[in-house]
């Protein structure tokens, strides 16, 4: 079964019992691991339980295909259901999983963890189409998703963050889900017993985390500042920010510029158009954003978005020198004449 975006969260909390094989895949490794744990804990309380949890890999199953049936059909010595987790799942396992789904265990769950899989992936197609399987994508979250994660995480810990602080934090922490959560944990430790998080708190905490952020990069690219953009990119990579997070942030920025231009073409003033953006532009960069809206024409913005889309496609190919392609694309965009 193929889950829609709205179906994912309810499914994670209460998986459909018809799904005897669940594939969790995508470029956001942190989110993938987090969702894997959530589903795993609906089967067993302790994911380290040596009797009810077994972890396999695609390599193990390739060498010993019968191992999947043996583990998945085995009864628990301690009672209850068992969890069979398969790491680094890939298309080479599709025939094995297809055979298993013809007569799966009614109690035990096979949970597959995989990286990014294209729509042509046979493993993804199998789990999306089978009535007794499910596929859950895990993509690097956009700005709105990060903002929601920030507010929900802090609220669950008893903290309130005001709007300006949330906007600033959204623009200054990026990467996969695990990295974002790590930065939020640092903020919580920094706040201590003070529960009301202000912009001043966030600026001090984020400033201690690192001197560079995604916002610095995207605005340097939008301002055609080649050297500043490349320096920012290199620092982000050194800090462990995923290339896909950087790429999606650039796409999001230029998409918002393009959307604002479209609103202006329909009769809105630049101030009116910017106010319609959601999430709103952080006030400290609003002037710079407006300047870039006026600087770039719609055709040039469409060209940039096309380049970024092509780049994302290239980065998904095996053996691609991703960082070289990304740095070349950044330079190319900063050199486009307006």
């Amino acid at each position: 079964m193929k889950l829609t975006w709205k179906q994912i969260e309810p499914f994670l909390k209460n998986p459909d019992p018809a799904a005897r094989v669940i594939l969790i895949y995508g470029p956001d490794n942190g989110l993938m691991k987090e969702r894997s744990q959530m589903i795993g804990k609906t089967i067993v309380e302790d994911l380290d339980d040596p009797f009810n949890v077994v972890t396999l890999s695609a390599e193990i199953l390739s060498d010993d295909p019968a191992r999947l049936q043996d583990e998945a059909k085995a009864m628990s010595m301690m009672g209850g259901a068992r969890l069979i987790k398969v790491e680094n799942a890939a298309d080479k396992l599709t025939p094995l999983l297809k055979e298993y789904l013809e007569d799966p265990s009614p109690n035990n769950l096979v949970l597959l963890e995989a990286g990014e899989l294209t729509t042509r992936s046979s493993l993804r197609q199998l789990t999306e189409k089978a009535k007794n399987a499910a596929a859950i994508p895990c993509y690097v979250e956009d700005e709105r998703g990060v903002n929601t994660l920030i507010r929900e995480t802090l609220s669950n810990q008893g903290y309130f963050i005001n709007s300006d602080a949330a906007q600033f934090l959204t623009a200054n922490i990026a990467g996969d889900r695990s990295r974002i959560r790590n930065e939020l944990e640092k903020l919580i430790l920094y706040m201590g017993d003070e529960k009301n998080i202000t912009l001043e708190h966030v600026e001090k905490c984020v400033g201690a985390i690192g001197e560079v952020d995604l916002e610095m990069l995207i605005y340097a690219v939008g301002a055609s500042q080649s050297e500043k953009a490349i320096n920012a990119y290199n620092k982000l990579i050194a800090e462990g920010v995923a290339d896909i997070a950087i790429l999606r942030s650039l796409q999001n920025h230029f998409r918002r510029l393009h959307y604002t231009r479209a609103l202006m073409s329909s009769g809105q003033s630049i101030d009116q158009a910017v106010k319609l953006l959601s999430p709103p532009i952080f006030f400290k960069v609003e002037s710079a954003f407006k300047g870039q809206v006026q600087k770039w024409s719609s055709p040039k913005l469409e060209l940039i978005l096309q380049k970024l889309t092509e780049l994302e496609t290239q980065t998904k190919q095996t053996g691609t020198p991703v960082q070289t392609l990304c740095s070349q694309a950044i330079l190319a965009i900063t050199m486009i004449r307006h």
Side-chain angles (χ1 to χ4, degrees):
M1 62 188 75
K2 183 177 181 179
L3 302 179
T4 65
W5 180 79
K6 290 184 179 180
Q7 292 174 320
I8 291 176
E9 289 302 323
F11 185 93
L12 293 171
K13 296 174 183 177
N14 186 26
D16 187 333
R20 306 319 308 148
V21 172
I22 298 177
L23 168 67
I24 306 180
Y25 71 94
D28 190 334
N29 187 68
L31 181 57
M32 184 269 287
K33 291 292 185 182
E34 184 175 304
R35 287 177 169 173
S36 176
Q37 290 180 0
M38 289 180 66
I39 290 179
K41 287 183 178 180
T42 67
I43 305 300
V44 295
E45 291 185 4
D46 181 7
L47 295 178
D48 295 321
D49 183 343
F51 297 103
N52 288 334
V53 179
V54 60
T55 301
L56 305 174
S57 68
E59 291 71 24
I60 290 175
L61 293 179
S62 293
D63 294 337
D64 184 9
R67 182 80 180 273
L68 178 65
Q69 291 281 357
D70 292 344
E71 295 289 0
K73 296 292 183 67
M75 295 181 64
S76 170
M77 294 176 59
M78 309 302 292
R82 299 178 74 238
L83 175 68
I84 295 81
K85 186 169 68 172
V86 181
E87 298 177 332
N88 303 318
D91 286 349
K92 61 184 177 181
L93 296 181
T94 302
L96 188 61
L97 268 301
K98 184 176 182 180
E99 180 183 356
Y100 173 73
L101 284 170
E102 292 176 358
D103 182 29
S105 166
N107 301 311
N108 301 333
L109 177 68
V110 175
L111 184 60
L112 310 174
E113 295 183 352
E116 187 160 14
L117 301 174
T118 69
T119 54
R120 292 175 294 183
S121 163
S122 59
L123 184 60
R124 177 175 165 182
Q125 289 179 1
L126 173 67
T127 52
E128 286 180 343
K129 294 177 181 178
K131 294 181 179 180
N132 56 354
I136 302 175
C138 301
Y139 293 106
V140 175
E141 293 168 298
D142 59 17
E143 193 170 337
R144 180 178 297 183
V146 174
N147 190 280
T148 300
L149 174 61
I150 288 170
R151 290 183 179 278
E152 288 181 350
T153 301
L154 293 175
S155 177
N156 290 339
Q157 295 294 322
Y159 292 87
F160 171 79
I161 183 168
N162 65 35
S163 180
D164 287 344
Q167 289 177 43
F168 181 87
L169 194 55
T170 298
N172 283 273
I173 61 174
D176 66 17
R177 176 69 72 97
S178 61
R179 185 175 191 274
I180 293 171
R181 287 205 182 277
N182 287 339
E183 300 299 359
L184 291 177
E185 288 175 8
K186 292 178 185 177
L187 176 60
I188 290 171
L189 288 173
Y190 174 83
M191 293 300 300
D193 294 332
E194 175 58 54
K195 298 297 183 180
N196 186 37
I197 303 174
T198 67
L199 176 60
E200 182 179 1
H201 291 136
V202 173
E203 285 182 320
K204 288 181 179 179
C205 184
V206 172
I209 292 171
E211 297 179 354
V212 67
D213 53 56
L214 273 171
E215 191 170 272
M216 183 185 298
L217 170 64
I218 61 178
Y219 277 93
V221 174
S224 300
Q225 298 171 333
S226 302
E227 184 177 354
K228 185 176 181 180
I230 288 297
N231 287 338
Y233 173 74
N234 290 335
K235 289 179 180 178
L236 286 168
I237 294 299
E239 289 180 6
V241 179
D243 283 287
I244 190 65
I246 294 172
L247 182 54
R248 295 274 168 83
S249 295
L250 285 167
Q251 289 174 325
N252 183 61
H253 178 67
F254 282 99
R255 193 176 293 119
R256 281 155 70 88
L257 290 174
H258 186 265
Y259 179 61
T260 306
R261 291 288 307 185
L263 290 174
M264 292 171 64
S265 297
S266 66
Q268 301 277 357
S269 69
I270 189 169
D271 289 334
Q272 292 171 329
V274 169
K275 286 181 180 179
L276 292 175
L277 296 177
S278 179
I281 299 296
F282 183 51
F283 76 91
K284 287 194 174 183
V285 295
E286 185 175 320
S287 177
F289 182 84
K290 289 179 179 178
Q292 292 186 13
V293 169
Q294 294 172 321
K295 166 184 172 180
W296 292 101
S297 66
S298 292
K300 290 297 174 66
L301 289 170
E302 290 168 6
L303 174 63
I304 292 171
L305 288 170
Q306 181 182 346
K307 285 182 177 292
L308 291 172
T309 299
E310 292 172 352
L311 175 60
E312 181 172 358
T313 301
Q314 288 179 300
T315 60
K316 294 176 182 178
Q317 298 173 1
T318 304
T320 300
V322 177
Q323 293 181 12
T324 299
L325 289 177
C326 286
S327 58
Q328 289 175 345
I330 288 170
L331 279 175
I333 293 172
T334 59
M335 296 177 72
I336 293 175
R337 294 186 178 180
H338 312 122

